[in-house]
Every structure is written in C-alpha cells, then in structure tokens.
Amino acid sequence: MISLTKTNGQMEEVNGVKVYTLYYEAKEKSLVQLGNRPPGTIKTYQSNYPFHWTEKGWVGPDQKLYPEH
C-alpha cells in the first residue's frame, strides 16, 4: 500500500444507533507481475468502513472495539 486517504465521513442515526461511515481511497503498487499487470502498476480502490456507537466506544465491521479517547 502506498497511500490511504480519508475522502469523506458521515454521521447519522439509524434506528436510534449512532453510525459513522468513513469513506476512503487506497492506492497499492504491485511489486511483482499480477496477471497482465507489470510490476509497478498502481491500483486505486475507493470504499467505506462503517462504525456504530456502543457504550464502550465505536465498533467496526470487524467487530473490534475502537474506544473513544
């Protein structure tokens, strides 16, 4: 991975639960040939990562707790 950039964020409430969605763009550079792509090819991905609020902090889709500091 050569970069990971937050592109946006959105806070909302769904069925009484606070939800925060982190939108991001990631760029990766291949070090070896992958299929028809030569080494050094840069691929860009855009996606999101949603969290929901609990009494102990934010929980991501991986079910890991990210406590509020």
Side-chain angles (χ1 to χ4, degrees):
M1 179 168 311
I2 56 175
S3 71
L4 178 63
T5 306
K6 176 183 172 184
T7 58
N8 202 358
Q10 180 180 2
M11 179 79 75
E12 60 186 324
E13 194 166 307
V14 179
N15 298 324
V17 177
K18 290 182 183 178
V19 176
Y20 180 77
T21 304
L22 171 77
Y23 295 90
Y24 66 89
E25 179 178 277
K27 291 184 181 184
E28 68 177 16
K29 184 176 182 180
S30 59
L31 301 177
V32 296
Q33 183 162 342
L34 298 172
N36 292 331
R37 291 186 289 173
T41 301
I42 296 175
K43 180 91 171 145
T44 302
Y45 301 93
Q46 294 178 335
S47 191
N48 63 73
Y49 200 80
F51 297 86
H52 67 273
W53 180 251
T54 69
E55 63 184 26
K56 294 184 179 181
W58 294 99
V59 175
D62 57 0
Q63 300 305 308
K64 183 175 178 184
L65 176 66
Y66 299 90
E68 188 172 48
H69 297 288

